[in-house]
Amino acid sequence: MPKKNIHPEWFNETKVYYDGQLIMIVGSTKPNLYVDIWSGNHPFYTGSQRIIDTEGRVERFFKKYKIENKASSEL
């Protein structure tokens, strides 16, 4: 049995807010949560993520360490 009076209070209906708007209800040890980033505005999940052009970095690595690039030859 768990010890008494050592566990934090659990809130089954914690409201999660983003930019002043309620976005979801979850269980937590806090009655309200305020987030700056969530899946609804994160570039990875919204599809607006920009891919940085890193062309040549892998090839330079392989060349520097004299490694045969088997992955690119299989494509």
Side-chain angles (χ1 to χ4, degrees):
M1 296 227 348
K3 292 182 180 180
K4 295 182 180 188
N5 301 323
I6 64 165
H7 299 285
E9 183 179 357
W10 184 258
F11 298 94
N12 285 324
E13 295 189 6
T14 296
K15 295 176 180 158
V16 181
Y17 293 95
Y18 167 74
D19 200 23
Q21 295 181 346
L22 177 67
I23 54 171
M24 67 180 77
I25 296 176
V26 296
S28 176
T29 58
K30 306 270 184 185
N32 293 312
L33 296 172
Y34 299 92
V35 296
D36 294 326
I37 298 175
W38 66 292
S39 62
N41 75 339
H42 192 279
F44 179 79
Y45 297 106
T46 60
S48 62
Q49 181 178 15
R50 294 182 182 159
I51 298 175
I52 299 172
D53 183 18
T54 59
E55 186 177 334
R57 292 182 71 191
V58 174
E59 288 78 13
R60 284 196 314 257
F61 173 83
F62 285 129
K63 185 178 177 182
K64 179 179 179 179
Y65 294 104
K66 297 179 177 81
I67 299 172
E68 184 180 333
N69 188 356
K70 294 178 185 176
S72 65
S73 63
E74 293 175 0
L75 296 175

